[in-house]
């Protein structure tokens, strides 16, 4: 094995270390930002994803043998870390699992891998012995079986046009298509976007058109949690066709994500004029929100419906189910702000990429009394679709929420998703 392959394993351990530390950069960004040839980047990404998909299995295995390891002459930590993940994956599940100890010793592995080779016979015999008791690897094949959805900005696309969503096309999810559309996305001619996440802007536009306004001079939209900006730019595209003078605002608290939002908005001529705020949507001043009429709220959530994102699937696999409380608290605060402190607000669309009732139907049930107090009423989202919400309490209000909500289960056409909407008449 040459120095290039050795460096790939070293890079892999560093990237896994960052992932385990919950650093903000995605796995793909971590890999493809490195100054490596394209083939090496592809190989590195494959190692990282495969190793992390075996994380629970390898971690459980290491815990099973750690007592025996402590009695052997090992000169490395007995705490399971990123180097352990890469070394064990490569030697027990990866490309070197069938190589003899003699063959492995001749290869130029990083030091952290070579430490395991000294006792490779022990590891392999114990791994085979424990194999049936260990967790299965995390499956990552579902996303590749789903169509690839692409939203056209300026490009003429020959994919299958969506029945409901304007400018959205589906394609076979092949590597060639993914590479081609990724290049076009960087050029700003298309956006690769999960189909379900296109619905909040679509719902907003349907509401605007149903108002049958003579002009849109007083319309001002607000995306309360906007980064990375896919929904914002889709809405901007459609608003520009309806009336290019409509005021559009977007908010993002995190500075890095705000910069990403701004870059994505500036990439397209119709979204360059979006007014943006680098602050919490809960901290908008009266003057910043006094003219807001239509609100799009997609707050941070558990992402429990996400199956397309490798990072999200692996995060759930490695760290387990997140603490819903930290999400539901913020979600409720955002909804309460939207329903009670937007004096000119007359339409609100709420969405999450979660499948948990607590973040979806239960959240809407919890704010329903406040909504009614301020003159809001639930409206049925996309009545032409049959995928309604869950009736979680068998009460009149619970049935109302279920009937008015829109739900996509993971794998229907993409990620799991939930949408609810409110409207009110401003006298």
């Amino acid at each position: 094995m040459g120095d290039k392959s050795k460096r790939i394993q070293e890079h892999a351990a560093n990237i896994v270390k960052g992932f385990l530390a919950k650093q903000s950069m995605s796995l793909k960004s971590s890999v493809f930002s490195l100054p490596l040839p394209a083939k090496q980047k592809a190989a590195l990404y494959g190692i990282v994803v495969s190793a992390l998909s075996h994380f629970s299995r390898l971690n459980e295995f290491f815990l099973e043998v750690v007592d025996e390891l402590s009695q052997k002459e090992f000169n490395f930590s007995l705490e399971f870390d990123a180097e352990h993940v890469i070394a064990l994956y490569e030697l027990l599940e990866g490309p070197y699992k069938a190589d003899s100890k003699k063959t492995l010793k001749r290869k130029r592995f990083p030091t952290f891998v070579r430490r395991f080779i000294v006792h490779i016979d022990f590891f392999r015999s114990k791994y085979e012995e424990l194999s049936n008791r260990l967790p299965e690897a995390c499956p990552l094949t579902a996303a590749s079986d789903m169509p690839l959805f692409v939203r056209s900005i300026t490009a003429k696309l020959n994919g299958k046009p969506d029945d409901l969503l304007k400018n959205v096309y589906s394609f076979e999810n092949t590597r060639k298509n993914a590479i081609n559309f990724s290049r076009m996305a960087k050029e700003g001619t298309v956006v690769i976007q999960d189909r379900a996440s296109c619905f909040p802007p679509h719902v907003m536009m349907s509401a605007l058109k149903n108002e049958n306004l003579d002009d849109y001079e007083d319309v001002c939209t607000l995306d309360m949690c906007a980064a990375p900006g896919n929904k914002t730019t889709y809405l901007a595209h459609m608003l520009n066709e309806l009336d290019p003078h409509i005021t559009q605002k977007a908010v993002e608290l995190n500075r890095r994500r705000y910069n990403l939002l701004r870059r994505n908005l500036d990439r397209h001529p119709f979204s360059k004029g979006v007014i943006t705020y680098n602050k919490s949507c809960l901290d908008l001043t009266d003057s910043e929100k006094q003219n807001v009429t239509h609100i799009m709220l997609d707050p941070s959530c558990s992402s429990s419906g996400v199956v397309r994102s490798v990072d999200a699937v692996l995060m759930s696999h490695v760290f387990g189910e997140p603490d819903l409380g930290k999400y539901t608290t913020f979600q409720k605060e955002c909804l309460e702000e939207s329903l009670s402190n937007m004096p000119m607000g007359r339409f609100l669309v709420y969405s999450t990429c979660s499948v948990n009732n607590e973040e979806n139907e239960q959240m809407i049930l919890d704010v329903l009394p406040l909504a009614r107090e301020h003159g809001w009423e639930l409206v049925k989202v996309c009545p032409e679709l049959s995928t309604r919400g869950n009736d979680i309490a068998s009460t009149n209000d619970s049935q109302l929420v279920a009937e008015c909500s829109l739900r996509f289960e993971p794998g229907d056409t993409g990620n799991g998703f939930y949408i609810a909407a409110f409207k009110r008449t401003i006298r």
Side-chain angles (χ1 to χ4, degrees), residues 324-337:
L324 290 184
K326 73 175 183 179
Y327 295 112
T328 55
T329 297
F330 179 66
Q331 291 158 2
K332 191 172 184 181
E333 288 175 344
C334 291
L335 276 167
E336 290 173 344
E337 173 71 9

Side-chain angles (χ1 to χ4, degrees), residues 26-62:
S26 70
L27 291 176
K28 199 165 272 187
S29 296
S30 298
V31 169
F32 288 91
S33 63
L34 294 171
L36 297 172
K39 286 187 178 180
Q40 290 186 37
K41 290 179 180 179
L44 173 58
Y45 184 71
I47 291 172
V48 168
V49 170
S50 296
L52 284 170
S53 73
H54 286 79
F55 180 88
S56 293
R57 183 175 177 84
L58 297 174
N59 186 29
E60 189 70 26
F61 166 70
F62 195 75

